[in-house]
Amino acid sequence: MNVWYSLSDIPGNEASVVTIGNFDGMHNGHKKVISTCIERAHKLGVDAVAITFDPHPIQVHKPEVGLQLISPLRDRLDAMGAAGLDGTLVAHYDASVYSLEADEFVYEYLVERCGAREVVVGEDFRFGRGNAGTIDTLRELGRRHGFNVITVTDIEAPEGRRWSSSWVRELLAAGDVSGAARVLGHLHRIRGTVCHGFKRGRALGFPTANLSEDVEGVIPADGVYAGWVVRAVPGTQSAEFLPAAISVGTNPQFNGEERTVEAHVLGRSDLNLYGERIAVTFVSRIRPMLSFDSLDGLLTQMDDDLRQTASVLGIGVAGRVDPDSVTAR
């Protein structure tokens, strides 16, 4: 998939079916809109193109909300490419975009650069200065500029709720990562750089990769999770998936105050991930964050966490490692 970061990057002879949206998390509703765009493009024999925005408009217009993206832009683009799009324009969302009147946006973005033959959007789509443009506005502009408008009705889950990014955030805030995965249509992941921690886990036989404060993506509720650490294989385009028990929280057993994400790769004492940018993927919540009466009680629980994690991930059980065998310093 071609990725363009400015209008001038798009070839001048482009002809396409275009879809527009933030696509945060690329959940099942987004996938339906994008698949419709691709189907229409194939039927017309043109490219399927998406326009998305970075940063998210809410982060610009309502910074006090503190909106955190479900997934980093990199993961969003990977998912959009995997869906089958031919190209995506990442429009830098600033005054040059949000000050455009509806007809200016349509002409500059859809007609002049993307060569839109059709535009596919959700039924609640709004655009232009102050979100003044509606579906009816888009249809009228389409008649003027020679493109059709296809609307995709809201797609609902079996229980009748609309697939949405806000639903994903609710589930992650409750620690329901498996529920979030059902809405997303894929496992939720975050990205961060591995940094040095207090090394308490290492001394107990549970060395962990600690993520620094530059985490991208929504961190789920405090607790212990089964999941995967995903790291790039140096010199290749491949990734290595490492089974992990993931702890999110403040470590109440040790009177911790800072909220951290720590991933223990099952059975491994030979990893040195310091300074690497890794992804942590969440499969299922094992338990909430707890405080125990004794260190032995904590260790017994952590041994059980490893067994449950192995069961969830479908791998062999691995116990604690020998602290003296840990190679990372």
Side-chain angles (χ1 to χ4, degrees):
M1 179 182 75
N2 293 312
V3 179
W4 306 301
Y5 291 92
S6 70
L7 288 174
S8 60
D9 291 340
I10 304 175
N13 60 348
E14 187 69 31
S16 65
V17 174
V18 185
T19 186
I20 310 164
N22 294 306
F23 304 114
D24 182 26
M26 270 295 287
H27 57 65
N28 285 325
H30 296 146
K31 290 171 184 174
K32 177 61 177 177
V33 172
I34 286 177
S35 67
T36 300
C37 174
I38 293 168
E39 290 168 8
R40 297 299 304 173
H42 287 170
K43 183 170 291 189
L44 296 178
V46 298
D47 287 343
V49 170
I51 297 175
T52 191
F53 304 98
D54 182 56
H56 194 291
I58 290 178
Q59 294 174 320
V60 174
H61 295 298
K62 296 181 179 180
E64 69 279 3
V65 172
L67 179 73
Q68 189 174 20
L69 295 180
I70 294 170
S71 55
L73 177 62
R74 169 183 171 180
D75 287 347
R76 191 193 331 171
L77 292 174
D78 284 347
M80 294 169 79
L85 287 167
D86 297 298
T88 293
L89 169 64
V90 181
H92 181 65
Y93 192 78
D94 58 16
S96 69
V97 175
Y98 62 72
S99 63
L100 291 174
E101 300 294 345
D103 59 339
E104 293 175 322
F105 176 82
V106 164
Y107 181 74
E108 291 183 25
Y109 280 79
L110 304 185
V111 179
E112 188 175 49
R113 299 310 303 180
C114 292
R117 300 295 183 265
E118 289 185 348
V119 177
V120 178
V121 291
E123 57 188 1
D124 60 350
F125 179 69
R126 302 295 293 262
F127 68 107
R129 183 196 291 266
N131 275 342
T134 65
I135 292 293
D136 288 339
T137 308
L138 188 61
R139 288 199 177 100
E140 173 57 33
L141 291 168
R143 286 189 286 271
R144 186 188 308 174
H145 294 292
F147 62 80
N148 295 320
V149 176
I150 308 295
T151 58
V152 179
T153 57
D154 285 342
I155 309 301
E156 295 183 347
E159 58 266 50
R161 181 166 180 177
R162 174 179 177 263
W163 303 113
S164 68
S165 298
S166 60
W167 189 9
V168 175
R169 289 189 177 87
E170 287 177 20
L171 292 166
L172 293 175
D176 186 1
V177 294
S178 56
R182 186 173 67 87
V183 179
L184 289 167
H186 55 265
L187 296 175
H188 176 62
R189 69 169 50 176
I190 61 176
R191 291 184 183 274
T193 303
V194 179
C195 66
H196 290 273
F198 292 103
K199 298 182 172 61
R200 298 189 187 106
R202 172 188 299 184
L204 300 175
F206 302 93
T208 59
N210 305 282
L211 297 191
S212 60
E213 296 179 355
D214 64 346
V215 171
E216 293 182 291
V218 174
I219 300 173
D222 291 1
V224 176
Y225 299 84
W228 302 91
V229 165
V230 187
R231 65 186 301 215
V233 178
T236 74
Q237 296 296 314
S238 301
E240 181 180 16
F241 287 74
L242 305 169
I246 306 156
S247 172
V248 177
T250 58
N251 288 315
Q253 189 72 27
F254 300 100
N255 299 314
E257 296 182 357
E258 292 185 13
R259 193 165 185 252
T260 61
V261 178
E262 306 175 40
H264 169 69
V265 177
L266 273 60
R268 298 290 295 271
S269 61
D270 60 330
L271 292 170
N272 186 349
L273 301 176
Y274 289 130
E276 285 192 30
R277 189 130 187 106
I278 63 171
V280 174
T281 300
F282 297 87
V283 176
S284 180
R285 194 184 199 202
I286 301 298
R287 63 171 174 87
M289 187 60 67
L290 302 171
S291 181
F292 299 87
D293 294 334
S294 67
L295 181 59
D296 285 341
L298 172 64
L299 291 174
T300 298
Q301 180 61 63
M302 292 173 74
D303 288 336
D304 187 58
D305 293 341
L306 297 190
R307 287 190 290 270
Q308 291 191 60
T309 296
S311 176
V312 168
L313 301 180
I315 63 170
V317 177
R320 305 179 209 172
V321 304
D322 179 359
D324 293 334
S325 70
V326 178
T327 57
R329 298 298 171 186

